[in-house]
Amino acid sequence: MSNETMKIPQATAKRLPLYYRFLKNLHSSGKQRVSSAELSEAVKVDSATIRRDFSYFGALGKKGYGYNVNYLLTFFRKTLDQDELTKVALIGVGNLGTAFLNYNFLKNNNTKISCAFDVDTSKMGTMIREVPVFHMDELEKVLVEEEISVAILTVPAPVAQMITDRLVGANVKGILNFTPARLNVPASIRVHHIDLAVELQSLVYFLKHYPTGEIEEVE
Ligand code: ATP
């Protein structure tokens, strides 16, 4: 990411891909400007937050005009490094991992799973949607050769830390962790944790205990 992004608060930075996807759709339908109210309705972020977020990008919406779609798109493309394809490794070609391989991330942004790894020898040498599956023995070699710095973790929780240590050793800088395990990494490594079971449980809890209409924005 460029230095400009460093000044943006992390909560704002997390919303960037959301804004970017919506603006790309607007742009392809020929729209030149958008109001914060329209954006708010589409991305489900309140318009005060959108205005504050956009002020960090130097995009000051004009009353009665809104935001210039082209300006925002250029900014997002540059900030999110969308001109460059980011290659991602996937570790653990089980049910969830296979679903990610079948899901075409490229449709929405410029990230692509370019290799996958597993210990199950029956999966070796196969291709899933043009992505080759390698044995874990080849992990470090392939990651270094392909200069991959981002990995998705879809392995069983008990092996997650051990694999994470290997990823860090192979120069991976960012890990999207889909296992329930909490990972220990050096401060220079970024881990985003998505525990689907916890998310689902929390949704059910909120529905039960906070009637709709009373929902506050949770960042
Ligand atoms: P499946 O039905 O294929 O077992 P699953 O998602 O239910 O899928 P999990 O036990 O969560 O199964 O394992 C996910 C994947 O991680 C499997 O393909 C498994 O072979 C792989 N795996 C297990 N241990 C390791 C490891 N140490 N390194 C890499 N991959 C591993």
Side-chain angles (χ1 to χ4, degrees), residues 32 39 42 44 73 92 107 125 146 153 157 171 174 178 190 192 196 207 218:
Q32 315 244 316
L39 263 165
K44 303 288 179 236
L73 265 186
K107 244 187 286 176
E146 299 269 315
L153 214 48
N171 233 1
F178 280 93
R190 179 168 271 276
H192 282 200
L196 294 173
L207 285 180
V218 187

Side-chain angles (χ1 to χ4, degrees), residues 73-86:
L73 265 186
T74 310
F75 175 86
F76 289 141
R77 205 171 280 134
K78 205 171 78 197
T79 311
L80 293 166
D81 281 339
Q82 290 294 308
D83 297 332
E84 211 177 289
L85 181 76
T86 304

Side-chain angles (χ1 to χ4, degrees), residues 91-98 117-120 123 136 154-157 159 162-163 166:
I91 328 293
V93 189
N95 287 313
L96 190 55
T98 305
F117 299 87
D118 206 292
V119 278
D120 183 346
K123 293 171 181 164
M136 281 302 280
T154 45
V155 290
V159 293
M162 176 268 289
I163 295 172
R166 286 180 64 184

Side-chain angles (χ1 to χ4, degrees), residues 4-167:
E4 276 170 75
T5 349
M6 301 302 177
K7 295 177 215 141
I8 299 173
Q10 294 198 8
T12 301
K14 274 197 150 180
R15 288 188 282 268
L16 282 185
L18 193 67
Y19 294 143
Y20 180 62
R21 184 164 59 188
F22 176 68
L23 285 161
K24 255 195 331 189
N25 291 341
L26 271 189
H27 182 70
S28 42
S29 67
K31 266 199 107 178
Q32 315 244 316
R33 57 196 206 186
V34 63
S35 68
S36 49
E38 276 175 284
L39 263 165
S40 168
E41 177 57 30
V43 298
K44 303 288 179 236
V45 173
D46 69 272
S47 45
T49 304
I50 290 183
R51 280 194 294 273
R52 198 186 55 224
D53 283 352
F54 281 24
S55 68
Y56 294 116
F57 321 148
L60 303 166
K62 290 187 209 109
K63 257 208 170 356
Y65 177 89
Y67 296 97
N68 183 306
V69 172
N70 264 329
Y71 173 89
L72 286 173
L73 265 186
T74 310
F75 175 86
F76 289 141
R77 205 171 280 134
K78 205 171 78 197
T79 311
L80 293 166
D81 281 339
Q82 290 294 308
D83 297 332
E84 211 177 289
L85 181 76
T86 304
K87 291 192 285 184
V88 177
L90 180 129
I91 328 293
V93 189
N95 287 313
L96 190 55
T98 305
F100 287 145
L101 291 173
N102 282 311
Y103 179 74
N104 189 353
F105 283 96
L106 262 181
K107 244 187 286 176
N108 296 324
N109 52 47
N110 245 0
T111 48
K112 182 185 189 297
I113 299 174
S114 61
C115 54
F117 299 87
D118 206 292
V119 278
D120 183 346
T121 46
S122 69
K123 293 171 181 164
M124 300 315 72
T126 56
M127 301 272 270
I128 300 176
R129 288 275 184 122
E130 296 173 13
V131 179
V133 182
F134 296 98
H135 191 271
M136 281 302 280
D137 290 349
E138 297 187 83
L139 183 76
E140 287 81 0
K141 180 175 151 277
V142 177
L143 291 182
V144 171
E145 266 175 20
E146 299 269 315
E147 296 183 340
I148 292 175
S149 58
V150 179
I152 298 176
L153 214 48
T154 45
V155 290
V159 293
Q161 185 62 55
M162 176 268 289
I163 295 172
T164 298
D165 296 342
R166 286 180 64 184
L167 292 172

